[in-house]
Coordinates of all heavy atoms in Angstrom, one line a residue:
Chain A
I176 N 112.8 85.2 108.7 CA 112.4 85.8 107.4 C 113.4 86.9 107.0 O 113.6 87.2 105.8 CB 111.0 86.4 107.5 CG1 110.6 87.0 106.1 CG2 110.9 87.4 108.5 CD1 110.3 86.0 105.0
T177 N 114.1 87.5 108.0 CA 115.1 88.5 107.7 C 116.4 88.0 107.1 O 117.3 88.8 106.7 CB 115.3 89.4 108.9 OG1 115.6 88.6 110.0 CG2 114.1 90.3 109.3
N178 N 116.6 86.7 107.2 CA 117.8 86.2 106.5 C 117.6 86.4 105.0 O 116.5 86.0 104.4 CB 117.8 84.7 106.8 CG 119.0 84.0 106.1 OD1 119.3 84.3 104.9 ND2 119.6 83.1 106.7
P179 N 118.5 87.1 104.3 CA 118.2 87.5 103.0 C 118.0 86.4 102.0 O 117.7 86.7 100.8 CB 119.4 88.4 102.6 CG 120.5 88.1 103.6 CD 119.8 87.6 104.8
F180 N 118.3 85.2 102.3 CA 118.0 84.1 101.4 C 116.5 83.7 101.3 O 116.1 83.3 100.2 CB 118.8 82.9 101.8 CG 118.5 81.7 100.9 CD1 118.8 81.7 99.5 CD2 117.9 80.5 101.4 CE1 118.5 80.6 98.8 CE2 117.6 79.5 100.7 CZ 117.9 79.5 99.3
Y181 N 115.8 84.0 102.3 CA 114.4 83.4 102.4 C 113.3 84.2 101.6 O 112.4 83.6 101.1 CB 114.0 83.2 103.8 CG 114.9 82.1 104.5 CD1 115.6 82.4 105.6 CD2 114.9 80.8 103.9 CE1 116.4 81.3 106.2 CE2 115.7 79.9 104.4 CZ 116.5 80.1 105.6 OH 117.2 79.1 106.1
P182 N 113.4 85.5 101.6 CA 112.4 86.2 100.8 C 112.1 85.6 99.4 O 111.0 85.4 99.0 CB 112.9 87.6 100.7 CG 113.6 87.8 102.0 CD 114.4 86.5 102.2
A183 N 113.2 85.3 98.7 CA 113.0 84.7 97.4 C 112.3 83.4 97.4 O 111.5 83.0 96.6 CB 114.4 84.6 96.7
L184 N 112.7 82.6 98.4 CA 112.1 81.3 98.6 C 110.6 81.4 98.9 O 109.8 80.7 98.4 CB 112.8 80.5 99.7 CG 112.4 79.1 99.9 CD1 112.7 78.2 98.7 CD2 113.1 78.5 101.1
V185 N 110.3 82.3 99.8 CA 108.9 82.6 100.2 C 108.1 83.0 99.0 O 107.0 82.5 98.7 CB 108.8 83.7 101.3 CG1 107.4 84.1 101.5 CG2 109.4 83.2 102.6
R186 N 108.7 83.9 98.2 CA 108.0 84.3 97.0 C 107.7 83.1 96.1 O 106.5 83.0 95.6 CB 109.0 85.2 96.3 CG 108.5 85.9 95.0 CD 109.7 86.5 94.3 NE 109.6 86.0 93.0 CZ 109.1 86.7 91.9 NH1 108.7 87.9 92.1 NH2 109.1 86.2 90.7
E187 N 108.6 82.3 95.8 CA 108.4 81.2 94.9 C 107.4 80.2 95.4 O 106.5 79.7 94.7 CB 109.7 80.5 94.5 CG 110.7 81.4 93.8 CD 110.2 81.9 92.5 OE1 109.4 81.3 91.8 OE2 110.5 83.1 92.1
L188 N 107.5 79.9 96.7 CA 106.6 78.9 97.3 C 105.2 79.5 97.3 O 104.3 78.7 97.0 CB 107.1 78.7 98.8 CG 108.3 77.8 98.9 CD1 108.8 77.8 100.4 CD2 108.0 76.4 98.4
T189 N 105.0 80.7 97.7 CA 103.6 81.2 97.8 C 103.0 81.2 96.4 O 101.8 80.9 96.2 CB 103.5 82.6 98.4 OG1 104.4 83.5 97.7 CG2 104.0 82.7 99.8
H190 N 103.8 81.6 95.4 CA 103.3 81.6 94.0 C 102.9 80.2 93.6 O 101.8 80.0 93.0 CB 104.2 82.2 93.1 CG 104.4 83.7 93.3 ND1 105.2 84.5 92.5 CD2 103.8 84.6 94.2 CE1 105.1 85.8 92.9 NE2 104.4 85.8 93.9
A191 N 103.8 79.3 93.8 CA 103.5 77.9 93.4 C 102.2 77.4 94.1 O 101.4 76.7 93.5 CB 104.7 77.0 93.7
L192 N 102.1 77.6 95.4 CA 101.0 77.1 96.2 C 99.7 77.8 95.8 O 98.6 77.2 95.6 CB 101.3 77.2 97.6 CG 102.3 76.2 98.1 CD1 102.9 76.6 99.5 CD2 101.8 74.8 98.1
H193 N 99.8 79.1 95.6 CA 98.5 79.9 95.2 C 98.0 79.4 93.9 O 96.8 79.3 93.6 CB 98.8 81.4 95.2 CG 98.6 82.0 96.5 ND1 99.6 82.8 97.1 CD2 97.6 82.0 97.4 CE1 99.2 83.2 98.3 NE2 97.9 82.8 98.5
A194 N 99.0 79.0 93.0 CA 98.6 78.6 91.7 C 97.7 77.3 91.7 O 97.0 77.0 90.9 CB 99.8 78.4 90.8
E195 N 97.9 76.5 92.8 CA 97.1 75.3 92.9 C 95.9 75.6 93.9 O 95.4 74.6 94.4 CB 97.9 74.1 93.2 CG 99.2 74.4 93.9 CD 100.0 73.1 94.1 OE1 100.6 72.6 93.1 OE2 100.0 72.6 95.2
G196 N 95.7 76.8 94.2 CA 94.5 77.1 95.0 C 94.7 77.0 96.5 O 93.8 77.0 97.3
R197 N 96.0 76.9 96.9 CA 96.2 76.8 98.3 C 96.7 78.2 98.9 O 97.3 79.0 98.1 CB 97.4 75.8 98.7 CG 97.0 74.4 98.4 CD 98.1 73.5 98.8 NE 98.1 72.3 98.0 CZ 97.2 71.3 98.0 NH1 96.2 71.4 98.9 NH2 97.3 70.3 97.2
A198 N 96.4 78.4 100.2 CA 96.9 79.6 100.8 C 98.0 79.2 101.8 O 98.2 78.1 102.2 CB 95.8 80.3 101.5
V199 N 98.9 80.2 102.1 CA 100.1 80.0 102.9 C 100.0 80.7 104.3 O 99.8 81.9 104.3 CB 101.3 80.5 102.2 CG1 102.6 80.3 103.1 CG2 101.5 79.7 100.9
L200 N 100.0 79.9 105.3 CA 100.1 80.5 106.6 C 101.6 80.6 107.0 O 102.3 79.6 107.1 CB 99.4 79.6 107.7 CG 97.9 79.7 107.7 CD1 97.3 78.6 108.5 CD2 97.5 81.1 108.4
L201 N 102.1 81.8 107.3 CA 103.5 82.0 107.5 C 103.8 82.1 109.0 O 103.1 82.8 109.8 CB 103.9 83.3 106.8 CG 105.4 83.6 107.0 CD1 106.2 82.7 106.1 CD2 105.6 85.1 106.7
A202 N 104.9 81.5 109.4 CA 105.4 81.6 110.8 C 106.9 81.8 110.8 O 107.6 81.2 110.1 CB 105.1 80.4 111.6
D203 N 107.3 82.9 111.5 CA 108.7 83.2 111.6 C 109.2 82.9 113.0 O 108.6 83.5 114.0 CB 109.0 84.6 111.3 CG 110.4 85.1 111.6 OD1 110.7 85.4 112.8 OD2 111.2 85.2 110.6
C204 N 110.1 82.0 113.3 CA 110.4 81.6 114.7 C 111.6 82.2 115.2 O 112.0 81.9 116.4 CB 110.3 80.1 114.8 SG 111.2 79.2 113.6
D205 N 112.2 83.2 114.5 CA 113.3 84.0 115.1 C 114.4 83.1 115.6 O 115.0 83.3 116.6 CB 112.7 84.8 116.3 CG 113.3 86.1 116.4 OD1 114.1 86.5 115.5 OD2 113.1 86.8 117.4
D206 N 114.7 82.0 114.8 CA 115.8 81.1 115.2 C 115.7 80.4 116.5 O 116.7 79.9 117.0 CB 117.2 81.9 115.1 CG 117.8 81.8 113.7 OD1 117.5 80.8 113.0 OD2 118.7 82.6 113.4
D207 N 114.5 80.3 117.0 CA 114.3 79.7 118.3 C 113.5 78.4 118.1 O 112.3 78.4 117.8 CB 113.5 80.7 119.2 CG 113.1 80.1 120.5 OD1 113.5 78.9 120.8 OD2 112.5 80.8 121.3
P208 N 114.1 77.3 118.4 CA 113.4 76.0 118.2 C 112.2 75.8 119.1 O 111.3 75.1 118.7 CB 114.5 75.0 118.6 CG 115.8 75.7 118.4 CD 115.5 77.1 118.8
V209 N 112.2 76.5 120.2 CA 111.0 76.4 121.1 C 109.9 77.1 120.5 O 108.7 76.6 120.4 CB 111.4 76.9 122.5 CG1 110.1 76.9 123.4 CG2 112.5 76.1 123.1
A210 N 110.1 78.3 120.1 CA 109.1 79.1 119.4 C 108.6 78.3 118.2 O 107.4 78.2 117.9 CB 109.6 80.4 119.0
E211 N 109.6 77.7 117.5 CA 109.2 76.9 116.3 C 108.2 75.8 116.6 O 107.2 75.6 115.9 CB 110.5 76.3 115.7 CG 110.4 75.5 114.5 CD 111.7 75.0 114.0 OE1 112.4 74.2 114.8 OE2 112.1 75.3 112.9
A212 N 108.5 75.1 117.7 CA 107.6 74.0 118.1 C 106.2 74.6 118.3 O 105.2 74.0 118.0 CB 108.1 73.3 119.3
G213 N 106.1 75.7 119.0 CA 104.9 76.4 119.2 C 104.1 76.7 118.0 O 102.9 76.4 117.8
Y214 N 104.8 77.2 117.0 CA 104.2 77.6 115.7 C 103.7 76.4 115.0 O 102.6 76.4 114.4 CB 105.1 78.4 114.9 CG 105.4 79.8 115.3 CD1 106.6 80.3 115.6 CD2 104.3 80.7 115.5 CE1 106.8 81.7 116.0 CE2 104.4 82.0 115.9 CZ 105.7 82.5 116.2 OH 105.9 83.7 116.6
I215 N 104.5 75.3 115.0 CA 104.1 74.1 114.3 C 102.8 73.6 115.0 O 101.9 73.2 114.3 CB 105.2 73.1 114.4 CG1 106.4 73.5 113.5 CG2 104.7 71.7 114.0 CD1 107.6 72.6 113.6
D216 N 102.8 73.7 116.3 CA 101.6 73.2 117.0 C 100.4 74.0 116.6 O 99.3 73.4 116.4 CB 101.9 73.4 118.5 CG 101.3 72.3 119.3 OD1 101.5 71.1 118.9 OD2 100.6 72.6 120.3
D217 N 100.5 75.3 116.6 CA 99.4 76.1 116.2 C 98.9 75.9 114.8 O 97.7 75.8 114.6 CB 99.8 77.6 116.4 CG 98.7 78.6 116.0 OD1 97.7 78.5 116.6 OD2 98.9 79.3 115.0
L218 N 99.9 75.7 113.9 CA 99.5 75.4 112.5 C 98.7 74.1 112.4 O 97.8 74.0 111.6 CB 100.7 75.4 111.6 CG 101.4 76.8 111.4 CD1 102.8 76.7 110.8 CD2 100.4 77.7 110.7
L219 N 99.2 73.1 113.2 CA 98.5 71.8 113.1 C 97.0 72.0 113.7 O 96.1 71.4 113.2 CB 99.2 70.8 113.9 CG 100.5 70.3 113.3 CD1 101.3 69.4 114.2 CD2 100.3 69.6 111.9
A220 N 96.9 72.8 114.8 CA 95.6 73.0 115.4 C 94.7 73.7 114.3 O 93.5 73.5 114.3 CB 95.7 73.9 116.6
R221 N 95.3 74.5 113.5 CA 94.6 75.2 112.4 C 94.3 74.3 111.3 O 93.8 74.7 110.2 CB 95.3 76.5 112.0 CG 95.2 77.6 113.1 CD 96.0 78.8 112.7 NE 96.0 79.7 113.8 CZ 95.0 80.6 114.1 NH1 94.0 80.7 113.3 NH2 95.2 81.4 115.1
R222 N 94.7 73.1 111.4 CA 94.4 72.1 110.4 C 95.0 72.4 109.0 O 94.3 72.3 108.0 CB 92.9 71.8 110.3 CG 92.2 71.4 111.5 CD 92.8 70.0 112.0 NE 91.9 69.4 112.9 CZ 92.0 69.6 114.2 NH1 92.9 70.4 114.7 NH2 91.3 68.9 115.1
V223 N 96.3 72.8 109.0 CA 96.9 73.0 107.7 C 97.0 71.6 107.1 O 97.0 70.6 107.7 CB 98.4 73.5 107.8 CG1 98.4 74.9 108.3 CG2 99.2 72.6 108.8
D224 N 96.9 71.6 105.7 CA 97.0 70.3 105.0 C 98.3 69.7 105.0 O 98.5 68.5 104.9 CB 96.4 70.4 103.6 CG 95.0 70.9 103.5 OD1 94.3 70.6 104.5 OD2 94.6 71.4 102.4
A225 N 99.3 70.6 105.1 CA 100.7 70.2 105.0 C 101.6 71.3 105.5 O 101.2 72.4 105.8 CB 101.1 69.9 103.5
L226 N 102.8 70.9 105.8 CA 103.8 71.9 106.3 C 105.1 71.9 105.5 O 105.6 70.8 105.0 CB 104.2 71.5 107.8 CG 103.2 71.8 108.9 CD1 103.7 71.2 110.2 CD2 103.1 73.3 109.0
L227 N 105.6 73.1 105.3 CA 106.9 73.3 104.8 C 107.8 73.9 105.8 O 107.4 74.9 106.4 CB 106.9 74.2 103.6 CG 106.2 73.7 102.3 CD1 105.9 74.8 101.3 CD2 107.1 72.7 101.6
V228 N 108.9 73.3 106.2 CA 109.6 73.7 107.3 C 111.1 73.9 107.0 O 111.7 73.0 106.4 CB 109.5 72.7 108.5 CG1 110.3 73.2 109.7 CG2 108.1 72.5 108.9
V229 N 111.6 75.0 107.3 CA 113.1 75.2 107.2 C 113.5 75.2 108.7 O 113.3 76.2 109.4 CB 113.5 76.6 106.6 CG1 115.0 76.7 106.6 CG2 112.9 76.7 105.2
P230 N 114.0 74.1 109.2 CA 114.2 74.0 110.6 C 115.2 75.0 111.2 O 116.2 75.3 110.5 CB 114.7 72.5 110.8 CG 115.1 72.1 109.4 CD 114.4 72.9 108.4
A231 N 115.0 75.4 112.3 CA 115.9 76.4 113.0 C 117.2 75.8 113.4 O 118.2 76.4 113.3 CB 115.2 77.1 114.1
D232 N 117.1 74.5 113.8 CA 118.3 73.9 114.4 C 118.3 72.4 114.0 O 117.3 71.7 114.2 CB 118.3 74.1 115.9 CG 119.6 73.6 116.5 OD1 119.7 72.3 116.7 OD2 120.4 74.4 116.8
E233 N 119.4 72.0 113.5 CA 119.5 70.6 113.0 C 119.0 69.6 114.1 O 118.3 68.7 113.8 CB 121.0 70.4 112.6 CG 121.2 69.1 111.9 CD 121.2 69.2 110.4 OE1 121.0 70.3 110.0 OE2 121.4 68.2 109.7
R234 N 119.5 69.8 115.3 CA 119.1 68.9 116.4 C 117.9 69.2 117.1 O 117.0 68.4 117.3 CB 120.3 68.8 117.4 CG 121.5 68.1 116.9 CD 122.4 67.7 118.1 NE 122.4 68.8 119.0 CZ 123.1 70.0 118.9 NH1 123.8 70.2 117.8 NH2 123.1 70.9 119.8

Side-chain angles (χ1 to χ4, degrees):
Chain A
I176 180 76
T177 50
N178 177 322
F180 174 66
Y181 295 122
L184 186 62
V185 170
R186 185 194 124 99
E187 298 301 328
L188 285 171
T189 56
H190 290 181
L192 290 165
H193 274 125
E195 26 186 75
R197 294 186 209 289
V199 175
L200 279 167
L201 181 74
D203 171 282
C204 44
D205 215 5
D206 266 338
D207 174 4
V209 177
E211 181 180 58
Y214 286 126
I215 289 176
D216 218 48
D217 178 60
L218 291 169
L219 290 175
R221 287 176 189 276
R222 298 299 195 274
V223 291
D224 294 340
L226 281 172
L227 290 166
V228 180
V229 181
D232 186 280
E233 188 95 0
R234 287 193 323 282

